[in-house]
Amino acid sequence: MKANLLDFDIEGLAAFCAGMGEKPFRATQLFRWIHQRGESDFSAMTDLAKSLRDKLAVSAHIAAPVLLSQHASVDGTIKWLFDVGGGDAVEAVFIPETDRGTLCISSQAGCAVGCRFCSTGHQGFSRNLSTAEIVAQLWFAEHFLRKHLGQSTRVISNVVMMGMGEPLQNYAALVPALRVMLSDHGYGLSRRRVTVSTSGVVPMMDRLGLDCPVALAVSLHAPDDLLRNQLVPLNLKYPLAELMGACERYLAYAPRDFITFEYCMLEGVNDSVEQAQQLVDLLGRYGGGAAWCKLNLIPFNPFPASGLLCSPPQRVQAFAQVLMAAGLTTTIRKTRGQDIDAACGQLAGDVMDRTRVQERILIQRTVKLVRGPVAVAGAVL
Ligand code: SAH
Ligand code: SF4
């Protein structure tokens, strides 16, 4: 079977090349062709010896999952759905802003954590994505956007692992993927511009701190164990005291950084001013001073099966006020891409009905999709 070169970080690619009798600098050249130039055809890699290109054509390929669909929001957000085989599909979302371009990517098909308020969680777990399937979302999006914006420099400046799945439950595939993002020969993103979001897989938070201390976001959603057990079932295994301890330890690996706590605002569930005060008390017991963390309040994005409602804006404001009065940096996340179901926690809406995905895969394979023009940050795709 051919090796998929999207599966390798630069060390892995060097080892693969060494197996073919090639020196490490060849791996660097190849890596740059793939990730900086977006090239998937070995014959176009003109500064590699013809003999090497021939060997690569026999033993390797650069293969991304098949694109099933693309949706563009009126606000410039774009959502891509990729077929990862076996009836599974995963989504990636590009969110343009004036000062940055953020790509939100998936780490698993489905998710085993099963949070009450999350559409992916309701879908259940199907499988882990490979490193290649994680990296391919960035590889595809970056080079697609560059081409269609007519830009030769980087379009995606930030990556957040906030799509489908729990990244720290797919650790072995995640770390090489992060290394590709950070590599100067790959996407050259600084470690503060790559964020892993976790529901709190404590042992893997410690390992990530050691192996690859990128920015960390922790999905908190409740100020006490009783409520968090109900919203994020993983809390039964790793309760708040352990989670907070892991956050403190993480900062030792990532000096001058902070932890972002995500808090999904659910009406009548976790959004009272008393709960905001409890949250202040909880965070005050850890980390040493208000500057160790930031709060990101996420308006709940409803989906039919959840039975939950989003807190009204005044309630979100009142909640934020309590946090800010206590000196905690607090932001309220702007919801983007709602018209195309690309907002947080809405991913997988289409995937839940597997028969529909199967139908789409069939349509995709038999009919060439004709798409209308799509506006991305002012340009036309
Ligand atoms: N599994 C990881 C990363 C993916 S979810 C995690 O849970 O952190 C990314 C973020 O979206 C998390 O903070 C998650 O709690 C939030 N989220 C999930 N469903 C949501 C919904 N329906 N509305 C708003 N935010 C949601
Ligand atoms: Fe999984 Fe994160 Fe959704 Fe929870 S919020 S079910 S951990 S993807």
Side-chain angles (χ1 to χ4, degrees):
M1 208 171 85
K2 287 186 176 184
N4 187 353
L5 300 189
L6 294 180
D7 257 322
F8 296 131
D9 59 14
I10 197 147
E11 278 182 14
L13 193 59
F16 179 77
C17 287
M20 292 190 305
E22 297 289 337
K23 299 232 160 59
F25 81 93
R26 290 287 175 214
T28 305
Q29 277 179 305
L30 184 53
F31 198 79
R32 292 171 72 103
W33 270 110
I34 299 168
H35 297 291
Q36 295 190 342
R37 311 275 291 266
E39 189 54 70
S40 58
D41 178 0
F42 297 121
S43 65
M45 301 181 183
T46 44
D47 58 356
L48 298 183
K50 172 88 169 58
S51 56
L52 172 57
R53 284 185 268 153
D54 291 345
K55 275 192 278 185
L56 285 169
V58 173
S59 60
H61 63 163
I62 296 153
V66 173
L67 179 67
L68 286 176
S69 68
Q70 168 181 294
H71 291 98
S73 160
V74 288
D75 68 15
T77 301
I78 305 177
K79 178 173 86 169
W80 293 284
L81 182 70
F82 297 99
D83 174 9
V84 291
D88 288 317
V90 298
E91 289 172 309
V93 180
F94 174 66
I95 307 143
E97 287 172 275
T98 43
D99 59 341
R100 69 180 76 174
T102 303
L103 187 71
C104 174
I105 63 185
S106 297
S107 56
Q108 299 180 313
C111 182
V113 178
C115 300
R116 273 283 315 275
F117 49 83
C118 173
S119 160
T120 309
H122 278 241
Q123 182 196 352
F125 177 67
S126 192
R127 72 168 174 86
N128 278 329
L129 298 188
S130 64
T131 297
E133 288 165 334
I134 298 172
V135 167
Q137 296 168 63
L138 174 59
W139 180 77
F140 169 84
E142 174 66 32
H143 296 291
F144 171 88
L145 291 166
R146 272 193 214 179
K147 194 160 145 217
H148 289 277
L149 295 170
Q151 199 169 311
S152 57
T153 51
R154 181 161 71 196
V155 179
I156 293 164
S157 61
N158 296 61
V159 172
V160 294
M161 301 295 309
M162 293 185 186
M164 297 162 67
E166 170 47 58
L168 294 188
Q169 287 188 339
N170 185 14
Y171 193 78
L174 173 73
V175 170
L178 296 176
R179 292 197 170 127
V180 173
M181 297 172 200
L182 302 185
S183 168
D184 285 341
H185 301 296
Y187 298 86
L189 300 177
S190 85
R191 65 174 188 82
R192 288 192 178 83
R193 286 176 175 268
V194 175
T195 302
V196 167
S197 176
T198 182
S199 54
V201 190
V202 164
M204 294 302 151
M205 289 165 68
D206 285 325
R207 282 189 60 187
L208 187 68
L210 276 170
D211 292 338
C212 196
V214 293
L216 188 68
V218 173
S219 295
L220 201 54
H221 309 309
D224 63 74
D225 281 316
L226 210 63
L227 180 58
R228 195 165 190 271
N229 286 343
Q230 292 170 34
L231 296 177
V232 184
L234 193 66
N235 197 70
L236 291 160
K237 197 164 179 191
Y238 305 115
L240 282 171
E242 285 188 37
L243 178 60
M244 291 296 153
C247 290
E248 286 187 321
R249 290 193 296 278
Y250 195 86
L251 287 181
Y253 295 112
R256 298 196 310 281
D257 277 15
F258 51 84
I259 306 282
T260 301
F261 288 109
E262 296 159 283
Y263 196 100
C264 180
M265 300 297 293
L266 304 161
E267 183 173 28
V269 176
N270 65 356
D271 66 344
S272 70
V273 290
E274 291 77 21
Q275 284 162 319
Q277 190 53 53
Q278 267 181 283
L279 189 56
V280 168
D281 296 342
L282 173 75
L283 298 174
R285 290 201 292 276
Y286 298 91
W292 78 287
C293 62
K294 292 189 180 177
L295 266 295
N296 193 205
L297 306 182
I298 316 174
F300 171 59
N301 292 305
F303 59 98
S306 72
L308 295 162
L309 296 171
C310 177
S311 309
Q314 316 86 279
R315 245 173 120 83
V316 178
Q317 282 297 340
F319 195 92
Q321 212 56 54
V322 176
L323 303 176
M324 289 189 289
L328 292 164
T329 305
T330 306
T331 49
I332 300 170
R333 190 177 292 174
K334 268 190 292 177
T335 291
R336 299 284 303 263
Q338 217 159 15
D339 54 333
I340 54 165
D341 283 351
C344 302
Q346 288 186 319
L347 303 187
D350 290 342
V351 191
M352 280 174 76
D353 183 347
R354 294 203 161 206
T355 46
R356 261 180 67 198
V357 172
Q358 289 296 359
E359 269 167 31
R360 286 221 224 154
I361 292 170
L362 276 175
I363 292 166
Q364 173 82 20
R365 284 189 185 141
T366 48
V367 185
K368 210 168 165 63
L369 286 182
V370 183
R371 293 194 201 98
V374 173
V376 186
V380 172
L381 303 189

